[in-house]
mmCIF file of all heavy atoms in Angstrom:
data_model
loop_
_atom_site.group_PDB
_atom_site.id
_atom_site.type_symbol
_atom_site.label_atom_id
_atom_site.label_comp_id
_atom_site.label_asym_id
_atom_site.label_seq_id
_atom_site.Cartn_x
_atom_site.Cartn_y
_atom_site.Cartn_z
ATOM 1 N N VAL Z 21 3.683 -5.967 -2.270
ATOM 2 C CA VAL Z 21 3.928 -7.407 -2.308
ATOM 3 C C VAL Z 21 5.303 -7.756 -2.855
ATOM 4 O O VAL Z 21 5.687 -8.938 -2.834
ATOM 5 C CB VAL Z 21 2.848 -8.136 -3.133
ATOM 6 C CG1 VAL Z 21 1.461 -7.777 -2.623
ATOM 7 C CG2 VAL Z 21 2.974 -7.816 -4.613
ATOM 8 N N LYS Z 22 6.037 -6.788 -3.322
ATOM 9 C CA LYS Z 22 7.335 -7.037 -3.938
ATOM 10 C C LYS Z 22 8.280 -7.721 -2.945
ATOM 11 O O LYS Z 22 8.411 -7.303 -1.800
ATOM 12 C CB LYS Z 22 7.928 -5.718 -4.432
ATOM 13 C CG LYS Z 22 9.065 -5.858 -5.417
ATOM 14 C CD LYS Z 22 9.435 -4.490 -6.003
ATOM 15 C CE LYS Z 22 8.274 -3.860 -6.736
ATOM 16 N NZ LYS Z 22 8.630 -2.551 -7.337
ATOM 17 N N GLY Z 23 8.918 -8.780 -3.406
ATOM 18 C CA GLY Z 23 9.813 -9.547 -2.562
ATOM 19 C C GLY Z 23 9.162 -10.718 -1.869
ATOM 20 O O GLY Z 23 9.869 -11.622 -1.398
ATOM 21 N N ARG Z 24 7.842 -10.736 -1.780
ATOM 22 C CA ARG Z 24 7.118 -11.833 -1.142
ATOM 23 C C ARG Z 24 6.292 -12.646 -2.128
ATOM 24 O O ARG Z 24 6.080 -13.834 -1.908
ATOM 25 C CB ARG Z 24 6.193 -11.307 -0.045
ATOM 26 C CG ARG Z 24 6.912 -10.609 1.091
ATOM 27 C CD ARG Z 24 5.956 -10.300 2.242
ATOM 28 N NE ARG Z 24 4.878 -9.415 1.828
ATOM 29 C CZ ARG Z 24 3.581 -9.749 1.820
ATOM 30 N NH1 ARG Z 24 3.205 -10.965 2.207
ATOM 31 N NH2 ARG Z 24 2.666 -8.869 1.444
ATOM 32 N N PHE Z 25 5.819 -11.997 -3.190
ATOM 33 C CA PHE Z 25 4.956 -12.644 -4.173
ATOM 34 C C PHE Z 25 5.746 -12.912 -5.447
ATOM 35 O O PHE Z 25 6.606 -12.112 -5.840
ATOM 36 C CB PHE Z 25 3.764 -11.752 -4.529
ATOM 37 C CG PHE Z 25 2.699 -11.633 -3.475
ATOM 38 C CD1 PHE Z 25 3.005 -11.700 -2.124
ATOM 39 C CD2 PHE Z 25 1.376 -11.441 -3.847
ATOM 40 C CE1 PHE Z 25 2.029 -11.578 -1.158
ATOM 41 C CE2 PHE Z 25 0.389 -11.314 -2.894
ATOM 42 C CZ PHE Z 25 0.706 -11.379 -1.548
ATOM 43 N N THR Z 26 5.429 -14.020 -6.109
ATOM 44 C CA THR Z 26 6.029 -14.355 -7.387
ATOM 45 C C THR Z 26 4.952 -14.853 -8.337
ATOM 46 O O THR Z 26 4.233 -15.797 -8.018
ATOM 47 C CB THR Z 26 7.112 -15.430 -7.242
ATOM 48 O OG1 THR Z 26 8.120 -14.989 -6.332
ATOM 49 C CG2 THR Z 26 7.763 -15.700 -8.596
ATOM 50 N N ILE Z 27 4.847 -14.210 -9.492
ATOM 51 C CA ILE Z 27 3.924 -14.658 -10.523
ATOM 52 C C ILE Z 27 4.708 -15.460 -11.557
ATOM 53 O O ILE Z 27 5.840 -15.116 -11.901
ATOM 54 C CB ILE Z 27 3.191 -13.468 -11.175
ATOM 55 C CG1 ILE Z 27 2.113 -13.959 -12.153
ATOM 56 C CG2 ILE Z 27 4.161 -12.524 -11.869
ATOM 57 C CD1 ILE Z 27 1.207 -12.847 -12.671
ATOM 58 N N SER Z 28 4.108 -16.528 -12.049
ATOM 59 C CA SER Z 28 4.731 -17.353 -13.068
ATOM 60 C C SER Z 28 3.645 -17.966 -13.939
ATOM 61 O O SER Z 28 2.460 -17.918 -13.601
ATOM 62 C CB SER Z 28 5.609 -18.441 -12.436
ATOM 63 O OG SER Z 28 4.840 -19.301 -11.621
ATOM 64 N N ARG Z 29 4.057 -18.541 -15.054
ATOM 65 C CA ARG Z 29 3.084 -19.175 -15.937
ATOM 66 C C ARG Z 29 3.691 -20.389 -16.610
ATOM 67 O O ARG Z 29 4.905 -20.474 -16.823
ATOM 68 C CB ARG Z 29 2.559 -18.181 -16.982
ATOM 69 C CG ARG Z 29 3.575 -17.740 -18.021
ATOM 70 C CD ARG Z 29 3.038 -16.582 -18.853
ATOM 71 N NE ARG Z 29 1.855 -16.956 -19.617
ATOM 72 C CZ ARG Z 29 0.998 -16.092 -20.160
ATOM 73 N NH1 ARG Z 29 1.194 -14.784 -19.993
ATOM 74 N NH2 ARG Z 29 -0.046 -16.537 -20.842
ATOM 75 N N ASP Z 30 2.817 -21.325 -16.956
ATOM 76 C CA ASP Z 30 3.188 -22.512 -17.700
ATOM 77 C C ASP Z 30 2.230 -22.586 -18.874
ATOM 78 O O ASP Z 30 1.093 -23.038 -18.728
ATOM 79 C CB ASP Z 30 3.097 -23.755 -16.820
ATOM 80 C CG ASP Z 30 3.603 -25.001 -17.518
ATOM 81 O OD1 ASP Z 30 3.626 -25.031 -18.763
ATOM 82 O OD2 ASP Z 30 3.982 -25.957 -16.815
ATOM 83 N N ASN Z 31 2.678 -22.122 -20.023
ATOM 84 C CA ASN Z 31 1.794 -22.067 -21.180
ATOM 85 C C ASN Z 31 1.410 -23.454 -21.676
ATOM 86 O O ASN Z 31 0.353 -23.623 -22.285
ATOM 87 C CB ASN Z 31 2.452 -21.266 -22.305
ATOM 88 C CG ASN Z 31 2.493 -19.784 -22.012
ATOM 89 O OD1 ASN Z 31 1.805 -19.295 -21.116
ATOM 90 N ND2 ASN Z 31 3.297 -19.048 -22.771
ATOM 91 N N GLY Z 32 2.258 -24.443 -21.427
ATOM 92 C CA GLY Z 32 1.914 -25.803 -21.790
ATOM 93 C C GLY Z 32 0.745 -26.353 -21.002
ATOM 94 O O GLY Z 32 0.034 -27.243 -21.473
ATOM 95 N N LYS Z 33 0.524 -25.835 -19.786
ATOM 96 C CA LYS Z 33 -0.581 -26.250 -18.934
ATOM 97 C C LYS Z 33 -1.704 -25.231 -18.884
ATOM 98 O O LYS Z 33 -2.677 -25.428 -18.155
ATOM 99 C CB LYS Z 33 -0.087 -26.512 -17.512
ATOM 100 C CG LYS Z 33 0.926 -27.632 -17.402
ATOM 101 C CD LYS Z 33 1.348 -27.839 -15.954
ATOM 102 C CE LYS Z 33 2.335 -28.977 -15.828
ATOM 103 N NZ LYS Z 33 2.771 -29.171 -14.423
ATOM 104 N N ASN Z 34 -1.585 -24.150 -19.634
ATOM 105 C CA ASN Z 34 -2.586 -23.079 -19.616
ATOM 106 C C ASN Z 34 -2.866 -22.605 -18.192
ATOM 107 O O ASN Z 34 -4.018 -22.419 -17.791
ATOM 108 C CB ASN Z 34 -3.884 -23.546 -20.268
ATOM 109 C CG ASN Z 34 -3.852 -23.448 -21.783
ATOM 110 O OD1 ASN Z 34 -2.792 -23.294 -22.388
ATOM 111 N ND2 ASN Z 34 -5.014 -23.546 -22.402
ATOM 112 N N THR Z 35 -1.810 -22.390 -17.432
ATOM 113 C CA THR Z 35 -1.959 -22.074 -16.015
ATOM 114 C C THR Z 35 -1.025 -20.944 -15.610
ATOM 115 O O THR Z 35 0.129 -20.893 -16.052
ATOM 116 C CB THR Z 35 -1.680 -23.305 -15.143
ATOM 117 O OG1 THR Z 35 -2.576 -24.362 -15.518
ATOM 118 C CG2 THR Z 35 -1.891 -22.985 -13.671
ATOM 119 N N VAL Z 36 -1.538 -20.053 -14.766
ATOM 120 C CA VAL Z 36 -0.761 -18.986 -14.147
ATOM 121 C C VAL Z 36 -0.765 -19.214 -12.644
ATOM 122 O O VAL Z 36 -1.784 -19.630 -12.080
ATOM 123 C CB VAL Z 36 -1.340 -17.604 -14.489
ATOM 124 C CG1 VAL Z 36 -0.560 -16.500 -13.779
ATOM 125 C CG2 VAL Z 36 -1.308 -17.376 -15.990
ATOM 126 N N TYR Z 37 0.348 -18.919 -12.001
ATOM 127 C CA TYR Z 37 0.493 -19.145 -10.567
ATOM 128 C C TYR Z 37 0.840 -17.851 -9.850
ATOM 129 O O TYR Z 37 1.444 -16.940 -10.418
ATOM 130 C CB TYR Z 37 1.597 -20.166 -10.289
ATOM 131 C CG TYR Z 37 1.416 -21.479 -10.995
ATOM 132 C CD1 TYR Z 37 2.069 -21.735 -12.198
ATOM 133 C CD2 TYR Z 37 0.602 -22.463 -10.464
ATOM 134 C CE1 TYR Z 37 1.911 -22.936 -12.853
ATOM 135 C CE2 TYR Z 37 0.433 -23.672 -11.112
ATOM 136 C CZ TYR Z 37 1.089 -23.904 -12.303
ATOM 137 O OH TYR Z 37 0.926 -25.105 -12.949
ATOM 138 N N LEU Z 38 0.473 -17.804 -8.587
ATOM 139 C CA LEU Z 38 0.912 -16.730 -7.711
ATOM 140 C C LEU Z 38 1.418 -17.359 -6.420
ATOM 141 O O LEU Z 38 0.628 -17.869 -5.622
ATOM 142 C CB LEU Z 38 -0.216 -15.745 -7.404
ATOM 143 C CG LEU Z 38 0.196 -14.520 -6.583
ATOM 144 C CD1 LEU Z 38 1.122 -13.616 -7.389
ATOM 145 C CD2 LEU Z 38 -1.019 -13.739 -6.107
ATOM 146 N N GLN Z 39 2.720 -17.341 -6.243
ATOM 147 C CA GLN Z 39 3.339 -17.829 -5.020
ATOM 148 C C GLN Z 39 3.369 -16.708 -4.005
ATOM 149 O O GLN Z 39 3.888 -15.629 -4.279
ATOM 150 C CB GLN Z 39 4.760 -18.321 -5.298
ATOM 151 C CG GLN Z 39 5.510 -18.815 -4.078
ATOM 152 C CD GLN Z 39 4.973 -20.123 -3.554
ATOM 153 O OE1 GLN Z 39 4.632 -21.005 -4.321
ATOM 154 N NE2 GLN Z 39 4.884 -20.244 -2.234
ATOM 155 N N ILE Z 40 2.814 -16.958 -2.832
ATOM 156 C CA ILE Z 40 2.739 -15.959 -1.779
ATOM 157 C C ILE Z 40 3.518 -16.487 -0.578
ATOM 158 O O ILE Z 40 3.158 -17.516 -0.004
ATOM 159 C CB ILE Z 40 1.296 -15.649 -1.364
ATOM 160 C CG1 ILE Z 40 0.431 -15.357 -2.594
ATOM 161 C CG2 ILE Z 40 1.260 -14.483 -0.392
ATOM 162 C CD1 ILE Z 40 -1.040 -15.166 -2.275
ATOM 163 N N ASN Z 41 4.564 -15.785 -0.191
ATOM 164 C CA ASN Z 41 5.394 -16.177 0.946
ATOM 165 C C ASN Z 41 5.314 -15.126 2.046
ATOM 166 O O ASN Z 41 4.920 -13.986 1.818
ATOM 167 C CB ASN Z 41 6.844 -16.351 0.516
ATOM 168 C CG ASN Z 41 7.042 -17.478 -0.466
ATOM 169 O OD1 ASN Z 41 6.335 -18.483 -0.423
ATOM 170 N ND2 ASN Z 41 8.023 -17.325 -1.356
ATOM 171 N N SER Z 42 5.718 -15.522 3.243
ATOM 172 C CA SER Z 42 5.744 -14.615 4.394
ATOM 173 C C SER Z 42 4.431 -13.856 4.519
ATOM 174 O O SER Z 42 4.403 -12.632 4.610
ATOM 175 C CB SER Z 42 6.924 -13.647 4.267
ATOM 176 O OG SER Z 42 8.148 -14.340 4.192
ATOM 177 N N MET Z 43 3.350 -14.585 4.546
ATOM 178 C CA MET Z 43 2.034 -13.976 4.477
ATOM 179 C C MET Z 43 1.726 -13.137 5.713
ATOM 180 O O MET Z 43 2.138 -13.461 6.827
ATOM 181 C CB MET Z 43 0.967 -15.052 4.288
ATOM 182 C CG MET Z 43 1.174 -15.861 3.017
ATOM 183 S SD MET Z 43 -0.231 -16.924 2.601
ATOM 184 C CE MET Z 43 -1.407 -15.695 2.030
ATOM 185 N N LYS Z 44 1.000 -12.062 5.462
ATOM 186 C CA LYS Z 44 0.597 -11.123 6.497
ATOM 187 C C LYS Z 44 -0.925 -11.046 6.551
ATOM 188 O O LYS Z 44 -1.591 -11.298 5.548
ATOM 189 C CB LYS Z 44 1.156 -9.727 6.203
ATOM 190 C CG LYS Z 44 2.658 -9.668 6.021
ATOM 191 C CD LYS Z 44 3.093 -8.265 5.624
ATOM 192 C CE LYS Z 44 4.587 -8.181 5.434
ATOM 193 N NZ LYS Z 44 5.004 -6.808 5.032
ATOM 194 N N PRO Z 45 -1.487 -10.680 7.704
ATOM 195 C CA PRO Z 45 -2.938 -10.501 7.770
ATOM 196 C C PRO Z 45 -3.465 -9.517 6.732
ATOM 197 O O PRO Z 45 -4.598 -9.679 6.262
ATOM 198 C CB PRO Z 45 -3.162 -9.983 9.189
ATOM 199 C CG PRO Z 45 -2.033 -10.565 9.975
ATOM 200 C CD PRO Z 45 -0.856 -10.547 9.031
ATOM 201 N N GLU Z 46 -2.669 -8.535 6.358
ATOM 202 C CA GLU Z 46 -3.070 -7.569 5.349
ATOM 203 C C GLU Z 46 -3.241 -8.183 3.960
ATOM 204 O O GLU Z 46 -3.810 -7.546 3.073
ATOM 205 C CB GLU Z 46 -2.044 -6.433 5.250
ATOM 206 C CG GLU Z 46 -1.762 -5.747 6.576
ATOM 207 C CD GLU Z 46 -0.596 -6.382 7.311
ATOM 208 O OE1 GLU Z 46 0.554 -5.957 7.069
ATOM 209 O OE2 GLU Z 46 -0.839 -7.302 8.130
ATOM 210 N N ASP Z 47 -2.748 -9.397 3.764
ATOM 211 C CA ASP Z 47 -2.920 -10.090 2.489
ATOM 212 C C ASP Z 47 -4.297 -10.730 2.356
ATOM 213 O O ASP Z 47 -4.630 -11.243 1.288
ATOM 214 C CB ASP Z 47 -1.857 -11.169 2.312
ATOM 215 C CG ASP Z 47 -0.452 -10.605 2.213
ATOM 216 O OD1 ASP Z 47 -0.285 -9.523 1.609
ATOM 217 O OD2 ASP Z 47 0.480 -11.247 2.729
ATOM 218 N N THR Z 48 -5.074 -10.728 3.413
ATOM 219 C CA THR Z 48 -6.411 -11.302 3.364
ATOM 220 C C THR Z 48 -7.256 -10.573 2.333
ATOM 221 O O THR Z 48 -7.421 -9.353 2.394
ATOM 222 C CB THR Z 48 -7.080 -11.230 4.741
ATOM 223 O OG1 THR Z 48 -6.356 -12.042 5.669
ATOM 224 C CG2 THR Z 48 -8.522 -11.708 4.671
ATOM 225 N N ALA Z 49 -7.783 -11.324 1.370
ATOM 226 C CA ALA Z 49 -8.552 -10.734 0.277
ATOM 227 C C ALA Z 49 -9.061 -11.845 -0.624
ATOM 228 O O ALA Z 49 -8.643 -13.001 -0.505
ATOM 229 C CB ALA Z 49 -7.690 -9.766 -0.541
ATOM 230 N N VAL Z 50 -9.949 -11.478 -1.522
ATOM 231 C CA VAL Z 50 -10.286 -12.347 -2.637
ATOM 232 C C VAL Z 50 -9.306 -12.036 -3.760
ATOM 233 O O VAL Z 50 -9.153 -10.875 -4.148
ATOM 234 C CB VAL Z 50 -11.737 -12.145 -3.106
ATOM 235 C CG1 VAL Z 50 -12.022 -13.007 -4.331
ATOM 236 C CG2 VAL Z 50 -12.709 -12.480 -1.986
ATOM 237 N N TYR Z 51 -8.660 -13.058 -4.269
ATOM 238 C CA TYR Z 51 -7.662 -12.894 -5.320
ATOM 239 C C TYR Z 51 -8.259 -13.295 -6.658
ATOM 240 O O TYR Z 51 -8.847 -14.371 -6.790
ATOM 241 C CB TYR Z 51 -6.423 -13.734 -5.018
ATOM 242 C CG TYR Z 51 -5.552 -13.122 -3.952
ATOM 243 C CD1 TYR Z 51 -5.962 -13.111 -2.625
ATOM 244 C CD2 TYR Z 51 -4.331 -12.532 -4.277
ATOM 245 C CE1 TYR Z 51 -5.180 -12.522 -1.643
ATOM 246 C CE2 TYR Z 51 -3.539 -11.953 -3.306
ATOM 247 C CZ TYR Z 51 -3.966 -11.946 -1.983
ATOM 248 O OH TYR Z 51 -3.176 -11.369 -1.019
ATOM 249 N N TYR Z 52 -8.089 -12.423 -7.645
ATOM 250 C CA TYR Z 52 -8.660 -12.616 -8.969
ATOM 251 C C TYR Z 52 -7.562 -12.764 -10.011
ATOM 252 O O TYR Z 52 -6.581 -12.011 -10.014
ATOM 253 C CB TYR Z 52 -9.533 -11.430 -9.368
ATOM 254 C CG TYR Z 52 -10.744 -11.220 -8.498
ATOM 255 C CD1 TYR Z 52 -10.687 -10.394 -7.386
ATOM 256 C CD2 TYR Z 52 -11.947 -11.847 -8.804
ATOM 257 C CE1 TYR Z 52 -11.800 -10.195 -6.588
ATOM 258 C CE2 TYR Z 52 -13.063 -11.648 -8.009
ATOM 259 C CZ TYR Z 52 -12.983 -10.820 -6.908
ATOM 260 O OH TYR Z 52 -14.091 -10.622 -6.120
ATOM 261 N N CYS Z 53 -7.755 -13.702 -10.894
ATOM 262 C CA CYS Z 53 -6.913 -13.874 -12.059
ATOM 263 C C CYS Z 53 -7.554 -13.150 -13.235
ATOM 264 O O CYS Z 53 -8.777 -13.153 -13.385
ATOM 265 C CB CYS Z 53 -6.759 -15.365 -12.357
ATOM 266 S SG CYS Z 53 -5.835 -15.772 -13.845
ATOM 267 N N ALA Z 54 -6.739 -12.522 -14.074
ATOM 268 C CA ALA Z 54 -7.248 -11.782 -15.221
ATOM 269 C C ALA Z 54 -6.361 -12.008 -16.434
ATOM 270 O O ALA Z 54 -5.155 -12.222 -16.302
ATOM 271 C CB ALA Z 54 -7.328 -10.287 -14.901
ATOM 272 N N ALA Z 55 -6.975 -11.949 -17.603
ATOM 273 C CA ALA Z 55 -6.271 -12.121 -18.862
ATOM 274 C C ALA Z 55 -6.448 -10.889 -19.730
ATOM 275 O O ALA Z 55 -7.538 -10.314 -19.791
ATOM 276 C CB ALA Z 55 -6.778 -13.360 -19.601
ATOM 277 N N ARG Z 56 -5.380 -10.503 -20.394
ATOM 278 C CA ARG Z 56 -5.388 -9.361 -21.295
ATOM 279 C C ARG Z 56 -5.103 -9.828 -22.710
ATOM 280 O O ARG Z 56 -4.125 -10.549 -22.935
ATOM 281 C CB ARG Z 56 -4.339 -8.337 -20.860
ATOM 282 C CG ARG Z 56 -4.350 -7.054 -21.675
ATOM 283 C CD ARG Z 56 -3.194 -6.160 -21.298
ATOM 284 N NE ARG Z 56 -3.256 -4.877 -21.992
ATOM 285 C CZ ARG Z 56 -2.216 -4.115 -22.268
ATOM 286 N NH1 ARG Z 56 -0.994 -4.510 -21.904
ATOM 287 N NH2 ARG Z 56 -2.383 -2.968 -22.905
ATOM 288 N N ALA Z 57 -5.938 -9.419 -23.648
ATOM 289 C CA ALA Z 57 -5.762 -9.803 -25.046
ATOM 290 C C ALA Z 57 -4.656 -8.960 -25.688
ATOM 291 O O ALA Z 57 -4.896 -8.178 -26.610
ATOM 292 C CB ALA Z 57 -7.065 -9.660 -25.811
ATOM 293 N N ASN Z 58 -3.466 -9.131 -25.146
ATOM 294 C CA ASN Z 58 -2.308 -8.401 -25.607
ATOM 295 C C ASN Z 58 -1.072 -9.148 -25.138
ATOM 296 O O ASN Z 58 -1.097 -9.802 -24.101
ATOM 297 C CB ASN Z 58 -2.307 -6.966 -25.054
ATOM 298 C CG ASN Z 58 -1.304 -6.064 -25.732
ATOM 299 O OD1 ASN Z 58 -0.105 -6.150 -25.470
ATOM 300 N ND2 ASN Z 58 -1.784 -5.194 -26.604
ATOM 301 N N TYR Z 59 0.005 -9.041 -25.877
ATOM 302 C CA TYR Z 59 1.239 -9.718 -25.497
ATOM 303 C C TYR Z 59 1.891 -9.107 -24.266
ATOM 304 O O TYR Z 59 2.541 -9.823 -23.492
ATOM 305 C CB TYR Z 59 2.239 -9.694 -26.649
ATOM 306 C CG TYR Z 59 1.758 -10.358 -27.903
ATOM 307 C CD1 TYR Z 59 1.290 -9.621 -28.981
ATOM 308 C CD2 TYR Z 59 1.782 -11.752 -28.015
ATOM 309 C CE1 TYR Z 59 0.852 -10.243 -30.138
ATOM 310 C CE2 TYR Z 59 1.349 -12.376 -29.167
ATOM 311 C CZ TYR Z 59 0.888 -11.627 -30.220
ATOM 312 O OH TYR Z 59 0.456 -12.243 -31.373
ATOM 313 N N GLY Z 60 1.738 -7.811 -24.091
ATOM 314 C CA GLY Z 60 2.375 -7.103 -22.994
ATOM 315 C C GLY Z 60 1.490 -6.992 -21.769
ATOM 316 O O GLY Z 60 0.271 -6.889 -21.868
ATOM 317 N N LEU Z 61 2.109 -6.996 -20.597
ATOM 318 C CA LEU Z 61 1.360 -6.933 -19.348
ATOM 319 C C LEU Z 61 0.733 -5.558 -19.135
ATOM 320 O O LEU Z 61 1.163 -4.553 -19.695
ATOM 321 C CB LEU Z 61 2.269 -7.297 -18.171
ATOM 322 C CG LEU Z 61 3.528 -6.469 -17.927
ATOM 323 C CD1 LEU Z 61 3.213 -5.184 -17.155
ATOM 324 C CD2 LEU Z 61 4.546 -7.297 -17.167
ATOM 325 N N GLY Z 62 -0.302 -5.538 -18.305
ATOM 326 C CA GLY Z 62 -0.948 -4.299 -17.917
ATOM 327 C C GLY Z 62 -0.961 -4.173 -16.410
ATOM 328 O O GLY Z 62 -0.898 -5.173 -15.681
ATOM 329 N N LEU Z 63 -1.031 -2.946 -15.916
ATOM 330 C CA LEU Z 63 -0.997 -2.669 -14.484
ATOM 331 C C LEU Z 63 -2.339 -2.221 -13.919
ATOM 332 O O LEU Z 63 -2.461 -2.072 -12.709
ATOM 333 C CB LEU Z 63 0.049 -1.592 -14.184
ATOM 334 C CG LEU Z 63 1.477 -1.870 -14.679
ATOM 335 C CD1 LEU Z 63 2.400 -0.721 -14.281
ATOM 336 C CD2 LEU Z 63 2.003 -3.186 -14.146
#
């Protein structure tokens, strides 16, 4: 997804976003948001 997807957050709104551009049929899926009880991201 690199180059097509962008993740961002607005902590003032308690919201995370995923911008998806140039969509492909292979992107068809259920998309899940997840939170980690840590300051650093996980993969």
Side-chain angles (χ1 to χ4, degrees):
V21 307
K22 196 171 300 181
R24 298 189 299 116
F25 287 32
T26 302
I27 186 171
S28 61
R29 68 190 297 163
D30 186 337
N31 288 345
K33 298 181 179 179
N34 278 15
T35 302
V36 177
Y37 305 97
L38 185 68
Q39 178 71 40
I40 310 175
N41 296 328
S42 301
M43 300 191 73
K44 305 175 180 179
E46 306 92 88
D47 295 323
T48 296
V50 176
Y51 284 72
Y52 297 91
C53 176
R56 185 186 185 206
N58 193 284
Y59 300 102
L61 59 82
L63 305 181

